[in-house]
Structure formats: C-alpha cells, structure tokens
Amino acid sequence: MADQSIPEARTPEATRGAPGGPGPLDSENTTARQGVSRRRLLGTAGATGLVLGAAGGAAGYAAAPSSATPLTSLGDEEVMFHGKHQPGITTPMQACGHLVAFDLVAGAGRREAAALLRRWSETARRLMAGEPAGSRDTGVARDAGPSSLTVTFGFGHSFFGRTGLAERRPVALDPLPDFSSDHLDKNRSNGDLWVQIGADDALVAFHALRAIQQDAGSAARVRWQMNGFNRSPGATAQPMTARNLMGQVDGTRNPKPADVDFDQRIFVPEGPEKNEQAWMTNGSYAVVRRIRMLLDDWEKLPVKAQEHVIGRRKSDGAPLSGGGETTEMDLEKTDQAGNLIVPINAHARITRPDQNGGAAMVRRPFSYHDGFDADGVPDAGLLFICWQADPLRGFVPVQRKLDRGDALSRFIRHEASGLFAVPGGAAEGEYVGQRLLEG
C-alpha cells in the first residue's frame, strides 16, 4: 500500500492499447485475424442473424440487430496481446480482475508447460480481441465487446525446478525475505504459474478465467484464486486517482510511462551486463500480496487520526503539509509547537522513493471483499500487485522500512504472498515464455 497511485484513470473515450506498449488500435483498421470480434459483430454489423463459426467449430456469436444500441466505449476498448511487454502492466486499471496460480501436476515438465503456454497465449489473444476462445467457448461473454480485457502470465520460483530449467531461474526470483507483519497462508501463496486477468466487465473477466482454467487441462491444477474489483471507468465526474476500501485516495506517486526512467525501473533491460537471463528482456517482476484491512478498527478512528496515519488528507489526497494531491510533500514542515506536520511514521512519508534510495514500483492493485468471518468481521482489503525490474531494488527495501515503523501496520495484515517472473510480450507467432521454454 505504498504512496504510489494506480495507473491513470481513463475517460470513456480513452484510446485502446497499453500506454508505453503497443500503439492504439483503430477499430476500422484492425489486423486481419481468424474469426470476427464480438465488438465488430455487436457494434458494427449491419445484417441481422449473422452467426460466427470460428475455426474448430467454436460457439456462435450472433450480431445485434441493426436497430440495437451500439456497444458503449467501455465495451469497445481493446488491448493488444502481442507487443514488447505483456498487457496488464501499464494498461489502465480495469474494473474487475482475477488472480490465479497453478501448479504443474506430477509428471508434467518442460514439454507440457510449453504446450500449456501455447494454448493459454492463443486463448488470451482471441479473447482480448473479442473473439470466442475456441471450440469449447462457453458463450458467457457473447454479448460483450473486449472490455479492456488483459491476460498476463508469470512463472514462480518452483516452476524452474519442475521443468528442468533451474539454471535459467533469475536471481531476482529468489524468495522474498520474511517480514514481521506477515501472517502468510502457504496454501494461498506462490505457485508454479501465475495468471492475472483484468477487464471492465465482470462477465468478460470470468469468461477469460474459465477459459484459462479449462486450458490447463491435465497439465496443471489451480493452487489458489483471488477475485478483485476497482471503480468502473467513467463512474466519477472526472478522471481521478482511485480510493481503496479505507476510503483513502490510494496514492499519487506511481511512476508513469512518460517518465524518462520508467523503463529502467519497471522492465528488465537488454544486455548480459544488466540481465543475466536474456529470456526476461522487456519483462518485469510482479509481487502479489493479499493485504487484509482491519476495517472495523480503522473506521473507529476520527478522520484526522486516519489522516495522520496516512500523511494525506482523506478528502482529496493532498499532503498534510498543504497544496493539492500532486503537490510535493514537505517533510520538514512543522506546526507552531515544532511538531512535524507529516508524522515521522506516516505511511506516505515512509514509502516515498526519496526515502528509500530511489526504490520505485508500479502499483496496480484490486480491492477485494470475501464476505465476513464468524465474528462478523469483514474479510476485505487489497490484492496488492506491484511491478519492477528487480524486486530487491523495488518492493523489498520499501517493505523492510514499512516493517520497522509504519503507522498503518496496526490496521492491515499480509495474509498471502507471491513473486513471479513475467517475461516480455510475445511477438506475432510466438507464445508467452517461448524464449525460456524453447531457448
């Protein structure tokens, strides 16, 4: 929960494609692919009764009648699967998401893993383009457009031993250190393979989740799954930084693709002097933490006390030292009694990059609510996901410092954790991870 914002909010007219990644896709000048997208059938088809029969006898996607209301811009948003980086890293935040980890079954190795990633990549490409998944498509999302769907794949530490690729495991994937705030459930942590799914429509996201689970077949089994949500694009009068379940504006200091040093902070560079594993070039490392918020305790605090815990005003996210949300925080400013305006243990002070040797990461979380425990306490919080070129220079130093005296630590609990190597994007004709599995 560092003081860094999620990727920028979108206006309903936002351009398709991930910032800093593949360029925008013109809906009237798409690359020819097998099949026809749901977006085209529902948004632009002029004839009634048209049915798509994709390769392999996929389920039909019927066009809307000519008098039907065209798809909104929300459903029309499409993110490209192929590109320099995988989607879902710099893509603007989506309204809903699923995180799921898999373990390879006993006896499955490199060959089975390669076949699985090939299946997954083709399914992701189809679904992100608004096409049916294939011959076993369930039809759950037949009425929707792409809805900014992204599917992102990563490898856990254990994956490399199970596939005979231990010598190609990056040093940056070494297990995270233990933190005093950890209360980790091992059954909901780590995993051989990790998939992040995000979309602006819940059925589109579930459709992708179900297709990925089906594609796993006899090669892998689900280890854990988590479901999350964010504010829907266009839900506010103007684009703004999102709030978390504590009601706080969730930071403003996320690195942005326009920053001159963004790529070197977030993506693995090319060249053996900076990257000991060439297959990770243009990839990134994802730290995933299920952070439970102790909302009953938090909500008992007066607003002013909450603001001192965070170091920012609750109303607009501005620093307590004054100004607006994006005003630089004055860490030395004091009140008339000589007390620091931003407390020494305020979350926003501790997590600043300039207080952590320049450590920076792109935070791209989802909120979650999994009901209530036996005492009626909400099981809710943050599915924290952060991206960086090296977790030992990004997440780890910041979390170590938080561990030593963050005022927010009384109100949160880290309950699950994972670290995954997310390779660069797949080129046309490739699948994700091909350079690792076939190199």
Side-chain angles (χ1 to χ4, degrees):
M1 294 180 62
D3 182 39
Q4 298 173 328
S5 71
I6 60 175
E8 294 180 359
R10 290 167 292 182
T11 60
E13 292 77 24
T15 305
R16 287 183 287 275
L25 178 67
D26 180 4
S27 62
E28 298 304 321
N29 189 27
T30 56
T31 302
R33 297 189 182 99
Q34 279 191 321
V36 181
S37 71
R38 293 194 300 272
R39 170 173 52 83
R40 283 194 168 188
L41 284 172
L42 295 173
T44 63
T48 61
L50 176 64
V51 175
L52 167 64
Y61 278 66
S66 57
S67 59
T69 302
L71 282 172
T72 66
S73 61
L74 185 69
D76 196 40
E77 295 286 333
E78 180 178 346
V79 181
M80 297 297 289
F81 174 75
H82 294 294
K84 183 178 180 180
H85 310 296
Q86 286 198 59
I89 302 175
T90 59
T91 309
M93 283 298 306
Q94 298 118 316
C96 51
H98 303 290
L99 309 180
V100 56
F102 293 83
D103 285 335
L104 294 172
V105 301
R110 182 172 176 177
R111 182 191 301 269
E112 290 77 15
L116 174 57
L117 267 296
R118 189 180 295 112
R119 291 195 300 274
W120 274 354
S121 295
E122 176 60 11
T123 293
R125 183 199 68 76
R126 283 175 168 271
L127 294 179
M128 286 174 56
E131 300 171 8
S135 60
R136 294 196 303 165
D137 191 280
T138 62
V140 169
R142 71 171 66 239
D143 307 310
S147 301
S148 299
L149 175 68
T150 59
V151 187
T152 315
F153 303 102
F155 304 117
H157 186 276
S158 56
F159 175 82
F160 296 85
R162 295 189 179 185
T163 54
L165 293 167
E167 75 284 355
R168 304 196 72 186
R169 181 169 52 217
V171 173
L173 200 57
D174 285 351
L176 296 173
D178 295 329
F179 301 105
S180 62
S181 59
D182 287 352
H183 297 78
L184 305 182
D185 179 353
K186 293 183 179 180
N187 293 325
R188 292 196 293 182
S189 298
N190 302 312
D192 293 343
L193 293 154
W194 175 69
V195 185
Q196 173 192 256
I197 296 169
D200 283 333
D201 179 80
L203 284 179
V204 168
F206 175 82
H207 182 228
L209 173 67
R210 187 67 183 130
I212 291 296
Q213 290 174 328
Q214 289 178 328
D215 277 351
S218 60
R221 58 177 177 79
V222 173
R223 178 180 177 87
W224 54 259
Q225 184 207 321
M226 301 174 188
N227 309 312
F229 57 90
N230 285 303
R231 174 175 282 153
S232 298
T236 55
Q238 60 187 19
M240 62 177 291
T241 308
R243 294 182 184 271
N244 59 34
L245 298 189
M246 288 178 161
Q248 301 290 147
V249 173
D250 200 351
T252 58
R253 298 182 60 86
N254 230 15
K256 296 177 174 58
D259 296 344
V260 293
D261 59 351
F262 181 86
D263 279 6
Q264 71 184 56
R265 288 171 177 251
I266 307 306
F267 295 111
V268 177
E270 187 174 359
E273 70 281 357
K274 296 181 178 180
N275 172 20
E276 88 278 13
Q277 296 292 351
W279 65 268
M280 269 298 290
T281 297
N282 297 320
S284 190
Y285 291 91
V287 174
V288 181
R289 310 277 281 185
R290 185 183 192 271
I291 303 176
R292 185 169 182 175
M293 295 175 173
L294 308 181
L295 295 178
D296 284 353
D297 295 335
W298 176 256
E299 290 163 1
K300 291 175 184 175
L301 289 181
V303 169
K304 186 165 289 294
Q306 293 178 352
E307 292 177 337
H308 278 84
V309 168
I310 301 298
R312 292 182 175 272
R313 291 200 301 259
K314 190 169 185 177
S315 60
D316 59 4
L320 296 183
S321 54
E325 182 188 350
T326 59
T327 300
E328 190 71 15
M329 184 176 289
D330 185 349
L331 299 181
E332 305 304 322
K333 189 173 182 178
T334 59
D335 59 19
Q336 292 181 343
N339 299 313
L340 289 169
I341 297 293
V342 180
I344 197 70
N345 62 348
H347 184 75
R349 173 190 285 270
I350 293 175
T351 58
R352 285 170 57 98
D354 58 8
Q355 302 294 301
N356 294 279
M361 49 195 164
V362 168
R363 295 178 64 258
R364 202 172 177 279
F366 292 95
S367 293
Y368 77 88
H369 179 222
D370 290 339
F372 301 84
D373 64 20
D375 296 325
V377 176
D379 182 3
L382 197 70
L383 300 181
F384 174 92
I385 309 163
C386 71
W387 301 89
Q388 58 261 287
D390 183 351
L392 291 178
R393 297 174 182 269
F395 172 79
V396 172
V398 176
Q399 186 58 34
R400 277 179 171 156
K401 195 165 185 179
L402 289 170
D403 227 26
R404 292 196 294 267
D406 177 23
L408 186 60
S409 63
R410 291 175 46 213
F411 304 98
I412 61 175
R413 187 164 61 222
H414 292 242
E415 296 186 335
S417 179
L419 171 62
F420 302 95
V422 176
E428 293 278 354
E430 284 188 342
Y431 63 85
V432 172
Q434 184 168 334
R435 281 162 277 178
L436 167 65
L437 292 162
E438 297 187 15

